[in-house]
Amino acid sequence: MNSTLPSDVIGRRVEVNGEHATVRFSGIVPPVAGPWLGVEWDNPERGKHDGSHEGTVYFKCRHPTAGSFIRPNKVNFGVDFLTAIKNRYVLEDEPKEEETEQIVIIGNKPVETIGFDSVIKQQSQLSKLQDVSLRNCAVNGAGDQGGIAKACPNIRSIDLSKNLLSSWEEVIDIANQLKHLEVLNLSENKLTFPSSSPSPTGAFSMLKVLVLNRTGITWAEVLCCASGWPVLEKLYLESNNIVISERPTDVLQTVKLLDLSSNQSIDENQLFLIAYLPRLEQLILSDIGISSIHFPDAGIGCKTSMFPSLQYLVLNDNQIAQWSFMNELDKLQSLHALSCTRNPLTEGSKDAQTTRQFIIARIGQLRTLNKCAVEPEERRGAELDYRKAFGNEWKKAGGHQDPEKNRPNEEFLAAHPRYQALCLKYGAPEDGELKTQQPFLLKNQLLTLKIKYPNQLDQKVIEKQLPESMTVQKVKGLLSRLLKVPVSELLLSYESPKMPGKEIELENDLQSLQFYSVENGDCLLVRW
């Protein structure tokens, strides 16, 4: 621990027995003699008071139990960057030339090595270091001017998370000496940021990835500092209580990924302020509490001009409960991938597969849902099932098989914006498809199918009734016994009268006939 206090002790970040805090006071606290430090803990449960003692306010805390008084000799003010990197990556004892035994620090353990191992040699030579992790190493600043640039000029990626950095200026002092820096993680450093744009230094001229999770940064401070990030592509701002207060102007224009997770004050109106970032391809909005979205510039069946480049949207752990949310996402012109797990809409349903199908059917360009690819066969099945599931509702709203009479009302079109497009794609649902089935009676689940053998002209066409829940594997087993042909040699596909000339392969043995949207009257094609 430190025996002497730094001159600029107020505002410094410190560590005490593994807990981090910020110094808010330095001086005497009567009636007890001697110097004290008043600290505000990151973990408010660690303290005892709000900065007051016997009626006197010595400092203020954001939480009534976040404050403590501590003797200076109990506090760790940390070490400079170069000291931390040497502690982590340099040989503890440099051997004499004639010696072959060395002590190497790996983590915190001294390990004896014989000879000069090539990997250890590269790590020990600071000038060759490119990827550096100094997480939780009590780094408090750059140290001697120019020391970093001289010792390790080739660093491209640094993890400085959970250290004792207290200000953005200290970060700039480090980055100024690393001209090749591309990736910087500053998470869990309680930093003070400038309120106006800092003077351009070129410190971050190569920076592509910046992680500022749980640093306390505000949106206004992001925009102030962003002028110094000219080529930034990925920005992580998780858990900062951010409120998006203004539209980025001439900053963040190169950002492709933006993570705003766990900022609970963000709502849909704030999101519109970042809707025109030209290169934004990935937006992560997990756990922000959002429940609704509406793009006012786009009507039913139209695309919004907002988020023009957005391809991947993450909405996990939110309050999405209405299908209208998914309808709105179909308006995003470039959206191809969506994650939306642990929402009321997806968790409340007993049938997760049906929920997945309905999301796929409602968002026409989706290629990946919850990290699982949407294959063409799955999309076809999902859209046909969706078309059938809401067919009766469509008819009651004014839908009709005759295109001249097909005029569903505005209420239906608002609830199902893609339904008309699906009718054009697959044809309007026939009355026979829309009969209410009794799902628990086997006879209502049987499909009457023709079975043909295109390569075996001597085989007669037969007709079979098969359960729609029957897997392709079991169908092959049945046909194997019937035809005396090994299961491994059978290839199945089917044709539908609704799609003449098109043959659909049944390539996944574990899926059911229903998955492939096989219906009454379809024809199974069997080859071997």
Side-chain angles (χ1 to χ4, degrees):
M1 299 297 173
N2 301 68
S3 57
T4 58
L5 287 177
S7 58
D8 56 344
V9 65
I10 304 300
R12 289 286 293 268
R13 296 283 294 161
V14 295
E15 180 265 329
V16 183
N17 297 326
E19 295 273 4
H20 287 196
T22 303
V23 178
R24 302 296 186 197
F25 168 82
S26 176
I28 306 300
V29 183
V32 183
W36 291 92
L37 293 177
V39 302
E40 181 180 6
W41 299 100
D42 292 359
N43 175 12
E45 297 179 2
R46 174 69 173 78
K48 298 179 179 179
H49 51 72
D50 63 355
S52 303
H53 179 65
E54 294 185 354
T56 301
V57 178
Y58 291 91
F59 62 98
K60 293 183 178 180
C61 296
R62 286 169 292 182
H63 193 280
T65 62
S68 292
F69 290 106
I70 297 178
R71 292 295 191 187
N73 62 352
K74 301 291 185 183
V75 171
N76 177 15
F77 284 93
V79 297
D80 63 67
F81 181 94
L82 206 50
T83 299
I85 210 167
K86 286 178 179 178
N87 288 344
R88 183 138 197 172
Y89 290 97
V90 177
L91 298 175
E92 186 178 88
D93 294 311
E94 288 293 341
K96 297 177 183 178
E97 289 185 10
E98 64 270 20
E99 293 177 340
T100 57
E101 184 175 294
Q102 299 172 346
I103 304 297
V104 177
I105 300 297
I106 299 179
N108 292 318
K109 285 187 173 182
V111 179
E112 289 190 357
T113 65
I114 304 298
F116 207 96
D117 181 271
S118 59
V119 175
I120 301 300
K121 180 178 181 180
Q122 182 174 345
Q123 286 193 328
S124 70
Q125 294 176 338
L126 298 184
S127 64
K128 293 184 179 180
L129 284 175
Q130 294 189 13
D131 299 318
V132 171
S133 176
L134 295 177
R135 177 174 170 80
N136 204 17
C137 287
V139 177
N140 62 14
D144 294 338
Q145 187 173 0
I148 298 173
K150 184 178 179 181
C152 40
N154 293 309
I155 290 176
R156 283 168 165 74
S157 172
I158 313 174
D159 183 353
L160 280 172
S161 58
K162 203 172 184 181
N163 276 287
L164 301 180
L165 297 166
S166 58
S167 72
W168 187 245
E169 286 76 12
E170 291 169 352
V171 176
I172 291 176
D173 287 344
I174 293 171
N176 253 331
Q177 303 182 56
L178 300 170
K179 300 305 180 184
H180 304 289
L181 187 62
E182 296 180 359
V183 180
L184 177 58
N185 185 351
L186 295 167
S187 297
E188 299 174 84
N189 286 281
K190 299 294 183 182
L191 299 169
T192 57
F193 293 88
S195 56
S196 59
S197 297
S199 302
T201 65
F204 306 105
S205 60
M206 301 285 288
L207 193 67
K208 295 181 179 178
V209 181
L210 179 58
V211 187
L212 295 171
N213 299 336
R214 294 177 292 284
T215 57
I217 195 169
T218 67
W219 184 250
E221 290 166 346
V222 169
L223 298 187
C224 279
C225 294
S227 59
W229 312 330
V231 297
L232 192 69
E233 296 181 356
K234 298 181 180 181
L235 178 59
Y236 297 84
L237 298 170
E238 180 182 330
S239 302
N240 283 306
N241 294 317
I242 280 177
V243 174
I244 301 174
S245 52
E246 57 184 299
R247 180 175 294 181
T249 304
D250 299 325
V251 293
L252 304 181
Q253 303 300 297
T254 59
V255 168
K256 296 180 179 180
L257 181 153
L258 180 59
D259 185 353
L260 293 167
S261 298
S262 301
N263 289 290
Q264 294 282 337
S265 298
I266 292 177
D267 59 26
E268 63 175 304
N269 291 321
Q270 294 176 45
L271 293 177
F272 295 156
L273 293 174
I274 60 170
Y276 294 99
L277 290 174
R279 299 186 186 178
L280 186 62
E281 297 176 356
Q282 298 183 52
L283 181 59
I284 304 174
L285 300 174
S286 295
D287 187 36
I288 65 169
I290 195 169
S291 60
S292 63
I293 191 78
H294 175 63
F295 299 109
D297 65 325
I300 295 172
C302 299
K303 298 297 183 183
T304 177
S305 62
M306 298 184 184
F307 299 102
S309 301
L310 188 63
Q311 298 177 21
Y312 182 28
L313 179 61
V314 180
L315 292 165
N316 301 330
D317 300 293
N318 279 296
Q319 300 302 317
I320 301 167
Q322 303 296 326
W323 283 110
S324 58
F325 199 111
M326 300 301 159
N327 294 340
E328 288 296 308
L329 296 186
D330 186 54
K331 296 179 179 179
L332 293 168
Q333 54 188 287
S334 301
L335 187 69
H336 297 314
L338 172 69
S339 289
C340 57
T341 59
R342 297 180 297 279
N343 278 277
L345 185 67
T346 56
E347 297 300 300
S349 171
K350 294 181 180 179
D351 189 347
Q353 184 59 32
T354 298
T355 301
R356 178 179 170 87
Q357 285 184 311
F358 283 3
I359 293 173
I360 292 169
R362 287 173 185 265
I363 306 176
Q365 68 273 28
L366 211 59
R367 298 175 191 166
T368 304
L369 177 58
N370 297 331
K371 297 185 177 181
C372 292
V374 178
E375 301 294 345
E377 309 86 43
E378 183 180 17
R379 170 160 293 285
R380 180 178 181 277
E383 291 177 342
L384 285 170
D385 284 352
Y386 177 82
R387 169 178 154 277
K388 182 189 294 186
F390 295 97
N392 285 319
E393 190 177 329
W394 167 75
K395 286 193 70 176
K396 289 177 183 177
H400 199 281
Q401 284 88 357
D402 184 348
E404 297 294 325
K405 300 178 181 179
N406 182 22
R407 296 186 182 88
N409 59 36
E410 289 295 319
E411 184 181 355
F412 179 85
L413 292 176
H416 305 280
R418 292 198 71 230
Y419 199 89
Q420 293 289 78
L422 295 181
C423 287
L424 289 173
K425 185 175 181 179
Y426 299 107
E430 301 292 335
D431 290 343
E433 294 180 74
L434 304 181
K435 289 180 180 178
T436 303
Q437 294 188 352
Q438 301 175 34
F440 298 107
L441 298 179
L442 180 61
K443 66 180 181 180
N444 292 320
Q445 296 182 348
L446 292 177
L447 302 174
T448 301
L449 305 173
K450 293 179 180 178
I451 300 177
K452 294 183 180 179
Y453 314 94
N455 297 340
Q456 312 292 330
L457 299 179
D458 56 329
Q459 294 279 358
K460 291 183 179 180
V461 176
I462 63 173
E463 197 172 86
K464 282 279 185 184
Q465 285 192 319
L466 302 176
E468 62 181 12
S469 60
M470 194 172 194
T471 64
V472 174
Q473 181 67 37
K474 289 184 178 179
V475 174
K476 286 183 176 180
L478 175 68
L479 293 169
S480 173
R481 293 189 294 273
L482 185 67
L483 301 169
K484 311 299 184 199
V485 176
V487 170
S488 59
E489 295 182 15
L490 293 176
L491 298 174
L492 300 188
S493 59
Y494 82 97
E495 294 176 332
S496 172
K498 295 178 183 177
M499 302 178 71
K502 186 171 183 180
E503 187 174 329
I504 310 298
E505 291 185 21
L506 306 181
E507 56 188 6
N508 189 337
D509 286 353
L510 301 180
Q511 295 291 1
S512 65
L513 296 175
Q514 184 183 34
F515 173 83
Y516 285 104
S517 299
V518 179
E519 299 178 345
N520 268 323
D522 288 349
C523 180
L524 281 182
L525 304 176
V526 186
R527 294 181 175 88
W528 65 91

